[in-house]
Amino acid sequence: MPGGYKGPVKGVGDLRVGSTLVRVKKNIVLVSVIMVLLVLLLFLLLPDGKNNGAALSEYSRGDDLIKFTSNAIYNRTYPLTPPVSTPNGRKYRIGLISDLDTNSKASDSKNLWYAYYLKGYLTINAYHDKVSVQFDDDSTKLTSQLSQGGRGMELSELICFNGKLYTVDDRTGVVYEVQEKAVIPWTILPDGDASSGKGFKGEWMARKGDNLFVGGLGKEWTTVTGELVNYFPQWVKVISYQGSVHHLPWKNNYNAMRQKAGYDYPGYMIHESGVWSSVHKRWFFLPRRASNEKYEEQADERRATNLLISCCEEFKDIKVSKIGALNPIRGFSSFKFVPGTNDEVIVALKTEEDQGKIATYVTAFDLKGNILLEDEKFSDVKFEGIEFI
């Protein structure tokens, strides 16, 4: 019968549609089904466009993660705590960090070293010609298990950077983030040009742009009797706010400062404090010690300076002035510009190490050399870092 049923369907894959017979092979059907399933699976696995950031940060490979985190924004908050207006002027929260040298080893633990974190307040009057400092009654004991050669937690500076508080250990080269009651290792700085297995003896830290500069003593490394060993302390480390480290040779910069001040080799100059001023576009240093004679460990204790050195960015224009009367056993160990003074007022720490006796003083002065706070002793412990927190 035309157009009617013509008998059994030939083959499982035969299909009649209307009056037309369509034959579909088994393998074609199977392949088609698999293709559809693969497309659906691929679609389900693709991240949602709105969640690309989260997916990248949690599940990406290392190289993709670096690209993702490179979009982080530098935190310019400074100081971390807003000042308070009082009848006596603006009141700032300050923090100080200690360097106990060999005494930083905990006596009751085999693998523990510690430092003191002391807080206080600095008040400056409206005319910027009077400064007072008051410290809290108690300090916080910060501990770490990191050491090199049996020494650790000999912290040499304190600085706010990228919205956090950092310090550097001049024995291990570890840069720590300082929290309320703990220190967290952030990065490790190798000595010199980074070819040494020894930690960098970081002594000063400064913000410049979005980078953190960490500098050493600035003099050649010598034996206790002044024989040259290497130039590693004349390198500077530059750390980005994301933690990458670059190593810069500063030998010419350090030598230019010392020559300008009149301390040519084998004389020397030792730096434990340095600050970059974005207002003046200049570097400022308060050298701790200097001498026209070659280095000798015991004599060095009585070679403090009262010098303030400022340099243009290229260290071509260098100015040297004197601050107050010279005390040969009391040298600068840290300083910061007081916020809100247009980088005209400095608060500084001075430390004494004389025949085993140790003391720390706080002082303040302006760039014209006017003393706003005479040296004021506050501790028999050596504090080597001060910062507005």
Side-chain angles (χ1 to χ4, degrees):
M1 184 181 341
Y5 174 71
K6 295 186 177 180
V9 177
K10 298 179 180 180
V12 178
D14 291 350
L15 178 66
R16 182 177 297 279
V17 180
S19 60
T20 305
L21 180 64
V22 180
R23 299 181 182 278
V24 183
K25 299 295 184 181
K26 285 186 191 179
N27 56 345
I28 297 177
V29 173
L30 182 60
V31 170
S32 299
V33 171
I34 292 174
M35 290 293 290
V36 170
L37 291 175
L38 286 175
V39 170
L40 288 173
L41 182 62
L42 181 62
F43 178 81
L44 291 173
L45 289 176
L46 286 174
D48 184 356
K50 297 180 180 179
N51 297 319
N52 280 343
L56 186 60
S57 65
E58 294 177 9
Y59 305 113
S60 66
R61 302 174 305 177
D63 52 354
D64 292 332
L65 185 58
I66 291 173
K67 293 177 183 177
F68 174 70
T69 58
S70 65
N71 295 323
I73 299 175
Y74 176 73
N75 186 340
R76 301 183 183 279
T77 303
Y78 183 78
L80 303 180
T81 306
V84 177
S85 295
T86 73
N88 296 322
R90 290 192 313 279
K91 188 175 183 179
Y92 292 92
R93 194 67 162 145
I94 57 174
L96 291 80
I97 204 77
S98 75
D99 179 354
L100 304 180
D101 293 324
T102 55
N103 291 328
S104 65
K105 179 68 175 67
S107 59
D108 58 349
S109 178
K110 183 179 179 180
N111 295 306
L112 197 67
W113 289 260
Y114 69 94
Y116 293 118
Y117 177 37
L118 176 65
K119 295 181 181 180
Y121 293 93
L122 179 145
T123 302
I124 183 168
N125 69 350
Y127 300 102
H128 298 170
D129 60 5
K130 185 177 181 180
V131 170
S132 63
V133 174
Q134 180 182 7
F135 296 103
D136 294 358
D137 293 333
D138 298 315
S139 60
T140 301
K141 196 173 185 178
L142 305 174
T143 62
S144 172
Q145 293 183 330
L146 300 180
S147 67
Q148 186 170 60
R151 297 177 67 172
M153 283 295 282
E154 300 181 22
L155 308 180
S156 294
E157 188 55 284
L158 192 65
I159 192 166
C160 290
F161 175 68
N162 192 29
K164 299 178 181 179
L165 190 61
Y166 291 101
T167 187
V168 61
D169 180 356
D170 69 24
R171 283 291 164 178
T172 63
V174 175
V175 177
Y176 290 99
E177 179 189 342
V178 180
Q179 299 185 349
E180 282 300 317
K181 296 184 178 180
V183 288
I184 308 300
W186 181 40
T187 188
I188 300 178
L189 305 177
D191 205 4
D193 61 358
S195 63
S196 170
K198 180 180 176 295
F200 182 59
K201 187 173 174 57
E203 294 288 347
W204 57 269
M205 308 173 84
R207 294 178 303 273
K208 186 174 185 292
D210 294 350
N211 294 311
L212 178 62
F213 282 62
V214 183
L217 294 171
K219 71 174 278 293
E220 303 83 356
W221 189 255
T222 62
T223 64
V224 294
T225 55
E227 282 72 37
L228 177 65
V229 177
N230 59 52
Y231 297 99
F232 287 175
Q234 293 186 314
W235 284 77
V236 165
K237 313 298 179 177
V238 182
I239 313 174
S240 74
Y241 64 94
Q242 295 171 311
S244 62
V245 181
H246 297 274
H247 314 275
L248 299 182
W250 261 41
K251 180 180 177 181
N252 292 338
N253 296 344
Y254 282 124
N255 289 349
M257 285 191 285
R258 127 175 137 187
Q259 289 166 7
K260 181 68 175 181
Y263 298 99
D264 290 332
Y265 186 84
Y268 64 90
M269 181 178 287
I270 290 178
H271 296 277
E272 292 192 4
S273 58
V275 170
W276 167 259
S277 169
S278 58
V279 175
H280 301 290
K281 307 299 181 186
R282 296 179 71 86
W283 286 101
F284 288 83
F285 291 89
L286 292 170
R288 183 174 182 186
R289 293 176 178 141
S291 175
N292 286 305
E293 301 177 31
K294 75 173 185 177
Y295 180 83
E296 197 279 316
E297 189 172 42
Q298 290 300 319
D300 182 63
E301 291 184 346
R302 305 187 67 84
R303 292 174 173 175
T305 86
N306 61 340
L307 302 179
L308 171 63
I309 302 177
S310 74
C311 317
C312 69
E313 192 167 11
E314 298 78 20
F315 285 80
K316 302 298 183 183
D317 176 40
I318 301 175
K319 300 177 181 178
V320 181
S321 59
K322 294 184 178 181
I323 303 296
L326 173 63
N327 184 324
I329 64 171
R330 191 179 302 167
F332 294 105
S333 59
S334 179
F335 77 93
K336 296 293 186 298
F337 284 106
V338 178
T341 65
N342 204 33
D343 286 2
E344 292 292 334
V345 176
I346 286 174
V347 60
L349 298 182
K350 290 183 178 181
T351 54
E352 292 180 354
E353 294 177 276
D354 183 36
Q355 299 179 352
K357 297 180 180 179
I358 296 174
T360 306
Y361 299 75
V362 62
T363 185
F365 49 88
D366 62 26
L367 293 185
K368 296 178 181 179
N370 299 311
I371 305 300
L372 311 185
L373 174 65
E374 295 285 351
D375 293 2
E376 185 176 293
K377 181 181 175 180
F378 66 91
S379 179
D380 290 321
V381 169
K382 185 172 65 170
F383 282 88
E384 290 198 346
I386 186 170
E387 177 61 296
F388 293 87
I389 60 174

